[in-house]
């Protein structure tokens, strides 16, 4: 998976969601490539093969309910994710869940976009998280 541009991993079981997100990144974040993985296992297998690592993971629906904290911890420790922004998506976002994910190390917990205006906002938010993380000195990453 060698790309010329920094890339974002979309972990989502639904290919239609990927097409929707792909439109969003092509429209509002052309400086980033989007790669789709239908499971955490597929993502970890693909990124374990090389040095090409994502600048962000956007996770939607690939983690079983109730196991989000366990999987988030696992991903945060995985070598392919240690420099990436991890963004959790949910149909509904409670402040308590969001705060728990942020405390653990997620970059954000956002409401899953359903319409183009929401997609634009979420893609811009993901892009902003990446820009902030990249601009930090290595000691703060």
């Amino acid at each position: 998976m060698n790309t010329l541009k920094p890339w974002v991993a979309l972990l989502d079981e639904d290919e239609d969601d990927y097409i929707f997100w792909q439109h969003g990144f092509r429209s509002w974040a052309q400086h980033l490539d989007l790669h789709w993985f239908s499971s955490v296992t597929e993502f970890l297998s693909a990124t374990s093969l090389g040095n090409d690592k994502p600048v962000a993971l956007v996770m939607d629906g690939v983690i079983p309910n109730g196991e989000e904290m366990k999987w988030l911890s696992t991903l945060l420790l995985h070598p392919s994710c240690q420099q990436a922004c991890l963004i959790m998506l949910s149909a509904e976002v409670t402040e308590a869940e969001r705060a728990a994910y942020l405390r653990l190390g997620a970059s954000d917990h956002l409401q899953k976009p359903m319409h183009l205006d929401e997609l634009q906002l979420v893609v811009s938010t993901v892009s902003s998280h990446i820009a902030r993380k990249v601009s930090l000195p290595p000691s703060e990453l």
Side-chain angles (χ1 to χ4, degrees):
M1 194 173 334
N2 293 320
T3 64
L4 298 176
K5 295 192 267 186
W7 61 280
V8 173
L10 175 66
L11 281 66
D12 189 319
E13 296 174 327
D14 188 344
E15 188 172 7
D16 289 338
D17 285 351
Y18 168 64
I19 294 166
F20 182 62
W21 279 89
Q22 189 176 44
H23 170 76
F25 275 84
R26 286 181 177 165
S27 297
W28 303 296
Q30 300 91 1
H31 62 290
L32 299 167
D33 278 335
L34 183 68
H35 295 270
W36 175 52
F37 301 90
S38 61
S39 71
V40 174
T41 304
E42 180 185 353
F43 166 75
L44 293 175
S45 294
T47 56
S48 294
L49 298 175
N51 293 327
D52 195 19
K53 309 223 181 321
V55 292
L57 274 77
V58 176
M59 294 177 284
D60 178 28
V62 294
I63 299 172
N65 284 336
E67 294 186 20
E68 293 88 356
M69 298 298 269
K70 178 185 116 188
W71 278 101
L72 180 57
S73 296
T74 299
L75 287 168
L76 286 165
L77 293 173
H78 194 273
S80 64
C81 303
Q82 289 182 343
Q83 302 300 317
C85 299
L86 274 72
I87 311 290
M88 308 288 286
L89 296 177
S90 297
E92 294 181 19
V93 176
T94 69
E95 194 51 44
E97 284 177 325
R98 184 174 189 277
Y101 293 143
L102 295 178
R103 271 194 308 277
L104 190 58
S107 298
D108 214 336
H109 182 217
L110 303 170
Q111 185 146 351
K112 180 179 177 174
M114 296 295 172
H115 305 285
L116 283 178
D117 58 333
E118 296 167 342
L119 179 63
Q120 182 177 10
L121 179 61
V122 172
V123 167
S124 296
T125 301
V126 170
S127 183
S128 294
H129 280 295
I130 294 165
R132 276 195 302 277
K133 189 148 191 166
V134 170
S135 68
L136 290 174
S139 62
E140 294 182 36
L141 287 177

